[in-house]
Amino acid sequence: MSHASRRGAALAAAVLLAAGATGCAGGTATAPDGGRVARAAERAPVRPPDPPDLPGTLTGQELSWSACPPSPEYGGGPPAVPPEPMPDGTGWQCATMKAPLDYGEPDGETLDIALVRAPTKAEGPERIGSLVFNFGGPGGSGVTTLPLSGAEYAELHKRYDLVSFDPRGVARSSAVRCLPDERLDAYLQEATVPSTGAEAEEYLADQRAYARACEERSGKLLPHLTTADTARDMDLLRQVLGDGRLYYFGISYGTELGGVYAHLYPEKVGRAVFDAVVDPTLDPAESSLNQTKGFQLALTNYLKACDQDGDCPVGPTPAQGEQRIVDLLERLDREPMPTADPGGRELNATLAAAGIALSLYSPDFWDLLTDGLENAVNDGDGTLLLRLSDLLNGRRDDGSYDNSQAALTAITCADAEPRYTVEDVRERLPRFREASPVFGETSAWGLLSCTGWPVEGAAEHPVVSAPDAPPVLVIGTTGDPATPYEGAARMARALGGDVGVELTYRGEGHGAYNSGDACVQNRVNAYLLRGSVPQDGTECPA
């Protein structure tokens, strides 16, 4: 595969994982006002009780590493291809780790955790250990994404084994299953934003039917998919890899996972980077509203960039471009648009909004968004926006789906305690519409995604307090759509003490390190490779 096509596949995979953050945020409650946030941050953290010690059969298990099998995901397939090696020629190896299904019963049933690594060539004191990645979601496959984007971490590979995993419930690990492919196609084709009481009840009934399907196919897994469970898997992985501390790089939801790990195991944290930071102080509804504002900001920035040459096909001005998008979604809500999809699928308003949101994760997708909107608005062709929504929903070219969205829902609902009602949504709709005329209504109705879920949620928001942990580098991007910039400062404060060290990237997109900004990369590399902690409040570009 050429470097250009590999970069495209890596970007698509990273965006797909990051896009899970739109659901990971869930929904939001009342207002994200400063007082509410401050009170949330001041709540005394409640650390869950320590589970029983793990048996030596788990902590002492030996991993059987071998060349990773071919997969369509490694080449944007089909056909299936093996992952390309690192630039220094190192090949990728895969293995499977056993972990307890229920950490309360560590001698009981186990599940599989799929792993991937590129071992470093460094030896002796030059080798630091393993650097474990989580790229986000929740629901994203690290076994797919790390090999696709591995070249971007080549500098870190000089001293670390690069390691990632599919979290419990995801992809090649013991995976959540909900609807089969054809039913999922129909489910997404029928999805509409309710405008009447009857439509609202039908929407809620569809959500409950989806939850029942997940319970029927994956009921045994659903109670054991919390972020705390995955954090405990990461500590087991640390032990199995032979590392005294966890060296960690978390992106998007991966920052929440890293924060929960630090709370549970502060003494085991090594050097850790949190990039594109989830705000841990908000409940699901507050988080969703905050994220809606983030996507609206990213859309505005896209339209301003499109308008720079005075010839933006979306609209002659940013305001007119936004209105054309609003008009398009309203038209699609009344009558879906035909596409060139071989299965006859059409573009509805929900799928169009998903395709637009997907395109805002990186400026590299902005040209595609322009083409997709121009095709839909001017030519009545929804094909490109449908394909972009397929990326978000994990739909492959052959019509099959990965399980990223099922895992996203299952993990989110295992974590999030609130269960919202139709009345809750109606009460919040004005605020969501004000936040974004494009994304507001879709985000508000998304608050019902855990209503009727068969498993209770763990907490109102994640607990990340870890004042005894070593420094954690916390990076926020000013134009980030999915994890708005303010979340980085709130994560740093919630970690407690002097743990959170803030770095600001003044730029667009979801994630700073892979933006290509040398200022960010140099500071992250200096920290992870040499332990050089940047000054708190550093800004990039310098």
Side-chain angles (χ1 to χ4, degrees):
M1 186 189 303
S2 71
H3 175 74
S5 58
R6 176 176 177 164
R7 167 67 182 165
L11 180 62
V15 167
L16 174 58
L17 296 192
T22 58
C24 139
T28 77
T30 55
D33 63 282
R36 177 67 178 271
V37 170
R39 288 194 297 275
E42 291 165 3
R43 295 178 185 129
V46 179
R47 178 169 173 157
D50 291 331
D53 291 339
L54 296 179
T57 52
L58 291 177
T59 58
Q61 63 185 294
E62 294 187 9
L63 300 174
S64 179
W65 295 100
S66 60
C68 292
S71 169
E73 278 80 6
Y74 289 137
V81 296
E84 285 197 5
M86 289 290 292
D88 67 358
T90 302
W92 292 93
Q93 301 172 342
C94 287
T96 300
M97 181 183 77
K98 296 292 184 181
L101 173 66
D102 182 352
Y103 273 92
E105 298 180 4
D107 290 308
E109 188 173 353
T110 61
L111 48 68
D112 291 340
I113 305 295
L115 310 174
V116 67
R117 76 170 181 181
T120 181
K121 297 181 184 296
E123 299 178 348
E126 280 300 302
R127 181 185 181 276
I128 297 173
S130 299
L131 182 61
V132 176
F133 289 79
N134 182 281
F135 293 93
S141 168
V143 174
T144 294
T145 303
L146 181 58
L148 285 172
S149 55
E152 299 181 14
Y153 304 104
E155 190 68 19
L156 300 175
H157 183 234
K158 291 178 180 179
R159 299 193 66 190
Y160 287 101
D161 296 346
L162 302 184
V163 178
S164 193
F165 64 106
D166 288 350
R168 53 175 57 212
V170 176
R172 301 184 198 181
S173 294
S174 298
V176 171
R177 303 294 176 191
C178 294
L179 295 177
D181 295 335
E182 289 185 3
R183 284 186 61 193
L184 189 51
D185 264 349
Y187 177 80
L188 294 172
Q189 282 285 285
E190 294 165 4
T192 59
V193 176
S195 57
T196 66
E199 289 177 353
E201 292 304 320
E202 183 178 356
Y203 184 96
L204 183 57
D206 288 342
Q207 295 297 314
R208 292 182 183 277
Y210 184 86
R212 286 195 300 273
C214 297
E215 184 177 23
E216 289 169 3
R217 301 187 73 189
S218 307
K220 183 172 64 175
L221 272 176
L222 299 184
H224 307 293
L225 297 178
T226 66
T227 297
D229 287 322
T230 298
R232 297 194 190 283
D233 291 341
M234 285 208 302
D235 197 62
L236 175 59
L237 175 60
R238 173 193 64 77
Q239 296 175 69
V240 171
L241 292 173
D243 290 336
R245 291 179 178 268
L246 179 73
Y247 295 88
Y248 182 71
F249 200 131
I251 302 167
S252 193
Y253 162 79
T255 66
E256 179 180 324
L257 174 59
V260 170
Y261 180 91
H263 175 67
L264 294 175
Y265 305 101
E267 73 285 356
K268 297 301 183 184
V269 176
R271 299 168 193 166
V273 173
F274 295 177
D275 187 3
V277 182
V278 171
D279 186 337
T281 67
L282 305 180
D283 68 27
E286 291 167 335
S287 182
S288 184
L289 181 58
N290 205 35
Q291 191 176 71
T292 301
K293 294 176 180 178
F295 274 99
Q296 181 62 34
L297 172 64
L299 179 65
T300 300
N301 291 342
Y302 153 73
L303 289 169
K304 287 179 179 177
C306 182
D307 188 50
Q308 281 182 352
D309 59 6
D311 189 30
C312 178
V314 180
T317 67
Q320 289 173 298
E322 179 181 291
Q323 187 58 52
R324 286 188 179 180
I325 294 172
V326 171
D327 293 343
L328 171 66
L329 295 178
E330 290 178 350
R331 189 162 69 250
L332 292 173
D333 199 43
R334 294 190 301 270
E335 183 177 358
M337 182 176 290
T339 72
D341 179 72
R345 291 181 303 147
E346 296 180 314
L347 179 72
N348 60 29
T350 301
L351 291 170
I356 294 168
L358 182 284
S359 306
L360 296 175
Y361 275 90
S362 169
D364 289 352
F365 275 76
W366 286 4
D367 286 345
L368 278 177
L369 176 57
T370 299
D371 291 343
L373 289 171
E374 184 177 18
N375 291 347
V377 172
N378 296 335
D379 303 328
D381 180 2
T383 304
L384 183 50
L385 287 181
L386 181 65
R387 293 296 300 274
L388 290 169
S389 76
D390 286 346
L391 267 181
L392 184 68
N393 290 320
R395 190 182 194 273
R396 306 181 182 96
D397 289 345
D398 64 0
S400 66
Y401 285 83
D402 64 27
N403 88 316
S404 57
Q405 291 299 315
L408 164 65
T409 302
I411 296 168
T412 299
C413 297
D415 276 342
E417 185 178 58
R419 298 293 187 255
Y420 298 105
T421 65
V422 170
E423 290 71 26
D424 291 329
V425 173
R426 288 195 178 112
E427 179 184 341
R428 291 165 173 80
L429 267 172
R431 190 166 273 150
F432 274 80
R433 289 174 178 140
E434 181 182 0
S436 173
V438 173
F439 303 110
E441 292 212 16
T442 302
S443 297
W445 287 103
L447 298 182
L448 297 177
S449 61
C450 293
T451 301
W453 194 251
V455 173
E456 291 185 0
E460 188 175 75
H461 61 85
V463 178
V464 300
S465 174
D468 297 325
V472 172
L473 183 56
V474 178
I475 309 172
T477 297
T478 54
D480 193 318
T483 51
Y485 170 66
E486 296 79 9
R490 292 170 179 167
M491 172 68 83
R493 288 198 298 272
L495 287 168
D498 297 322
V499 174
V501 177
E502 289 185 65
L503 172 64
T504 293
Y505 170 52
R506 299 202 169 277
E508 303 297 328
H510 187 52
Y513 188 87
N514 286 342
S515 71
D517 182 76
C519 171
V520 172
Q521 292 180 343
N522 289 340
R523 281 158 176 76
V524 171
N525 292 346
Y527 167 60
L528 288 175
L529 294 172
R530 298 185 293 279
S532 177
V533 182
Q535 182 176 350
D536 187 33
T538 297
E539 295 190 3
C540 288

